[in-house]
Amino acid sequence: MTAHRALVRRTALAVTAGAAALVLAACGSDSGSGGHDMGSMESDSSPTATASAKAGGHNGTDVDFSKEMIQHHRQAVDMAELAADRASSQEVKDLATKVKEAQDPEIKTMSGWLTSWGEDVPEAMSADMDHDMSSAMPGMMSGKDMDKLENASGAEFDTMFLTMMVEHHEGAVEMAETEKADGEYGPAKKLADDVVTAQTAEIKQMNKMLGKS
């Protein structure tokens, strides 16, 4: 009888231990599953975080600045290329070269930002777009203005180019100041600051060439 009770007791303990082991195993499995789920969530979210970090924080002002300044710079480059052919003054030609060499790389830089943000790089302006663009962005020349510049030559061209480029630069400075105040993306704000510094200096230079200061 005593031996029988001992056997029963041992059997009960074994069953209890087995049940406990099963519970622990189940808890371990749940915990592992939960850990896997958390890992999955972290894994799922990490590409977004990585992409965000790669692109850098930016806002609508950064996007608008980049898109509009690309178009603004393109027109300045067009004007500079005209000056390289039409200007009579070497000083004007040198200034035009300086404008082109500064703004061509900035167009590429801003295009790269837009691509990294999943935004479209604006197409080159067509004749149909010209009026809308010139009225939407400060300092932009109209199609008629560009035609006049293209048809001018000699000293008349030099004066017309400098007068238009002063206005064009003033518009660029205005746009850049808006980016500096309201933008979020550090490199864009830095480029805007560079635009303000460089083009303000060129405005003073061109006004001097025009005999205005």
Side-chain angles (χ1 to χ4, degrees):
M1 191 73 173
T2 301
H4 177 72
R5 287 178 180 174
L7 178 61
V8 169
R9 187 179 296 113
R10 284 198 299 271
T11 302
L13 288 172
V15 171
T16 301
L22 288 172
V23 170
L24 288 172
C27 289
S29 175
D30 289 343
S31 175
S33 175
H36 176 71
D37 289 342
M38 288 299 292
S40 297
M41 287 194 295
E42 289 172 3
S43 176
D44 290 343
S45 64
S46 60
T48 302
T50 301
S52 177
K54 183 177 179 181
H58 67 282
N59 60 18
T61 299
D62 299 316
V63 174
D64 290 344
F65 169 75
S66 299
K67 288 187 174 184
E68 292 178 2
M69 192 60 84
I70 284 171
Q71 298 287 35
H72 209 271
H73 274 15
R74 282 173 177 166
Q75 188 176 71
V77 169
D78 288 345
M79 293 168 68
E81 289 175 345
L82 279 175
D85 293 332
R86 302 292 183 87
S88 62
S89 164
Q90 187 59 47
E91 191 176 10
V92 171
K93 288 178 179 287
D94 290 344
L95 174 68
T97 298
K98 184 179 177 182
V99 168
K100 178 176 170 59
E101 288 179 349
Q103 298 194 22
D104 259 340
E106 289 177 346
I107 291 170
K108 293 182 176 68
T109 295
M110 291 183 286
S111 297
W113 294 341
L114 290 171
T115 300
S116 75
W117 297 335
E119 300 283 347
D120 293 331
V121 176
E123 297 179 2
M125 287 189 299
S126 65
D128 293 336
M129 296 167 60
D130 185 78
H131 176 73
D132 292 336
M133 283 292 184
S134 63
S135 61
M137 285 181 279
M140 286 287 282
M141 299 297 109
S142 67
K144 289 182 179 179
D145 292 330
M146 293 297 290
D147 287 343
K148 287 179 182 178
L149 185 65
E150 190 170 358
N151 291 325
S153 61
E156 180 188 14
F157 177 93
D158 293 352
T159 300
M160 190 178 298
F161 171 80
L162 291 170
T163 302
M164 288 183 177
M165 193 60 85
V166 166
E167 183 179 348
H168 204 271
H169 273 23
E170 287 172 344
V173 169
E174 181 180 336
M175 293 162 65
E177 291 287 7
T178 298
E179 167 62 20
K180 287 176 63 178
D182 301 330
E184 180 181 339
Y185 189 57
K189 292 167 73 72
K190 174 63 168 61
L191 187 146
D193 189 56
D194 291 344
V195 166
V196 171
T197 300
Q199 298 200 22
T200 297
E202 289 173 356
I203 288 168
K204 291 179 181 177
Q205 179 186 354
M206 289 186 287
N207 278 330
K208 185 175 181 180
M209 292 164 70
L210 287 166
K212 295 184 177 180
S213 60

